[in-house]
């Protein structure tokens, strides 16, 4: 916490001293405010670290402070849903009997009966989840934070390297000072791609490993067609991303490889019982639990 507080104070002081970056003033196209704030944060961290460590360290800091808490909350919510599954299934059986009796009294056809059953079932399940603090919409919070973070940081680093941005064109007169010699080992110049293809391959391998980890961890659960299509699509994306990374400057390569392998470590850590206990996540349960779609079908029978 003291370290994070120090970085925040440094960022605020930097903002007061340099409200407008020179590269913004000379740019022919107006630079987005969010990306300008990202660059100021990067510059503030760089005052204490070399460029390669700045990019990798800030990536870990942002993931730990922004996306990790949401991922932990998501795991807790999923655990609550699993614990609530028996109650929901029991309630669904009762609801089926009630709606069947009402349907018989009012002379409803099967279509009307089924529609009313599904309507009340979805409403009640939503109320139960909301009551126990695990509303389904909250499970979508992670991508709504992680994707904008990844895109905005990628665009910011691309701008700092002197590359044009999509829709904005050229937003700087050249690379930020120090990037051309701010690397390490064989990647001293961070404004050019990795000549050895090491980082692009690491990025592709990390992305594919994340996909396979998620697929393996859910192998005992029945998947819908949409889930299978999405898994295969992400596998293809992992392969396609290798040549994309091969043409990207090392500033992006460092950010992408750090973010990707952070996700790998996080996915593995979330499967360790001691880690889950420390983060107050529910224990993993080997027996497969019926998902909501299966419960829904069970109600209809």
């Amino acid at each position: 916490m003291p370290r994070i507080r120090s970085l925040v104070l440094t960022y605020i002081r930097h903002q007061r001293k340099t409200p407008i970056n020179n590269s913004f003033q000379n740019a022919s196209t107006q630079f987005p405010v969010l990306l300008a704030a990202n660059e100021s944060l990067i510059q503030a961290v760089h005052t204490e670290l070399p460029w390669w460590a700045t990019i990798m360290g800030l990536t870990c800091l942002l993931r730990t402070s922004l996306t990790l808490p949401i991922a932990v909350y998501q795991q807790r919510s999923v655990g609550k849903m699993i614990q609530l599954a028996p109650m929901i299934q029991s309630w669904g059986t009762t609801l089926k009997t009630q709606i069947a009796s009402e349907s018989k009294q009012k002379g409803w056809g099967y279509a009307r009966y089924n529609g009313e059953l599904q309507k009340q079932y979805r409403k009640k399940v939503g109320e139960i989840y909301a009551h126990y603090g695990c509303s389904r919409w909250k499970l979508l919070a992670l991508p709504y934070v992680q994707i904008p973070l990844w895109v905005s940081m990628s665009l910011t680093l691309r701008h700092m390297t002197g590359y044009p941005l999509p829709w904005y064109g050229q937003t700087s007169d050249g690379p930020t000072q120090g990037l051309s010699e701010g690397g390490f080992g064989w990647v001293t110049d961070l404004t050019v791609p990795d000549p050895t293809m090491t980082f692009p391959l690491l990025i592709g391998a990390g992305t594919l490993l994340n996909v396979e980890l998620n697929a393996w961890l859910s192998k005992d659960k029945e998947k819908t067609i949409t889930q299978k299509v999405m898994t295969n699509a992400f596998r293809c994306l992992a392969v396609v991303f290798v040549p994309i990374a091969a043409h990207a400057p090392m500033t992006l390569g460092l950010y992408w490889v750090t973010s990707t392998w952070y996700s790998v470590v996080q996915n593995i850590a979330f499967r360790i019982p001691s880690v889950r206990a420390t983060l107050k996540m529910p224990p993993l349960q080997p027996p497969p639990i019926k998902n909501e779609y299966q419960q829904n079908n069970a109600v209809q029978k």
Side-chain angles (χ1 to χ4, degrees):
M1 289 301 294
R3 176 62 177 169
I4 296 176
R5 188 180 299 110
S6 174
L7 288 173
V8 172
L9 291 176
T10 303
Y11 169 62
I12 294 174
R13 289 195 296 268
H14 183 82
Q15 284 286 75
R16 290 175 178 173
K17 293 179 181 178
T18 58
I20 301 178
N21 189 288
N22 289 335
S23 64
F24 306 160
Q25 294 176 338
N26 297 331
S28 59
T29 306
Q30 184 178 3
F31 195 64
V33 176
L34 175 60
L35 305 191
N38 286 346
E39 179 172 3
S40 295
L41 178 59
I42 295 172
Q43 293 281 10
V45 177
H46 174 58
T47 59
E48 301 183 17
L49 297 171
W51 275 116
W52 68 267
T54 296
I55 296 172
M56 301 183 77
L58 184 58
T59 303
C60 293
L61 177 62
L62 290 174
R63 290 294 304 270
T64 303
S65 59
L66 295 179
T67 63
L68 180 60
I70 299 175
V72 172
Y73 174 81
Q74 187 179 63
Q75 288 290 317
R76 293 173 180 172
S77 296
V78 170
K80 288 182 181 179
M81 289 182 173
I82 293 175
Q83 293 172 355
L84 292 171
M87 180 178 69
I88 291 176
Q89 290 177 348
S90 176
W91 180 86
T93 303
T94 302
L95 176 65
K96 176 186 174 183
T97 303
Q98 293 176 350
I99 298 299
S101 177
E102 183 180 358
S103 174
K104 185 176 181 180
Q105 292 176 0
K106 297 182 178 181
W108 291 348
Y110 177 78
R112 175 71 184 277
Y113 156 77
N114 186 60
E116 187 65 22
L117 177 62
Q118 298 305 310
K119 177 183 176 181
Q120 293 195 29
Y121 179 80
R122 286 192 296 266
K123 180 181 178 181
K124 185 63 176 180
V125 169
E127 291 175 352
I128 293 174
Y129 286 160
H131 177 74
Y132 286 93
C134 54
S135 300
R136 283 170 290 187
W137 68 267
K138 294 181 180 179
L139 298 180
L140 301 176
L142 184 58
Y144 279 111
V145 174
Q146 188 165 324
I147 294 176
L149 173 65
W150 187 89
V151 172
S152 65
M153 286 299 296
S154 295
L155 292 177
T156 301
L157 290 170
R158 183 179 175 90
H159 156 80
M160 294 178 66
T161 314
Y163 282 56
L165 301 182
W167 302 293
Y168 288 93
Q170 192 68 37
T171 55
S172 66
D173 295 332
T176 300
Q177 184 178 4
L179 283 178
S180 58
E181 60 272 353
F184 62 92
W186 71 94
V187 286
T188 304
D189 189 351
L190 299 182
T191 65
V192 298
D194 180 3
T196 65
M197 285 289 292
T198 301
F199 277 84
L201 291 174
L202 283 174
I203 294 168
T207 304
L208 184 60
L209 184 56
N210 274 318
V211 176
E212 296 303 328
L213 275 173
N214 290 326
W216 180 77
L217 293 172
S218 60
K219 65 181 185 301
D220 295 329
K221 300 179 182 179
E222 185 177 348
K223 296 181 180 179
T224 64
I225 296 178
T226 301
Q227 290 174 327
K228 293 178 181 179
V229 170
M230 291 298 294
T231 298
N232 290 328
F234 282 123
R235 285 170 176 155
C236 294
L237 181 62
V239 176
V240 172
F241 208 66
V242 173
I244 295 176
H247 291 84
M250 274 304 302
T251 49
L252 289 177
L254 287 173
Y255 174 67
W256 289 345
V257 78
T258 306
S259 182
T260 298
W261 283 92
Y262 186 101
S263 296
V264 172
V265 173
Q266 176 180 289
N267 284 334
I268 294 175
F270 279 2
R271 297 293 162 174
I272 301 175
S274 59
V275 173
R276 297 186 69 86
T278 302
L279 296 175
K280 298 181 180 179
M281 296 179 185
L284 295 174
Q285 300 181 8
I289 301 296
K290 288 185 178 181
N291 58 35
E292 185 177 335
Y293 176 77
Q294 291 172 315
Q295 295 169 18
N296 206 14
N297 286 342
V299 171
Q300 297 178 35
K301 294 181 180 179

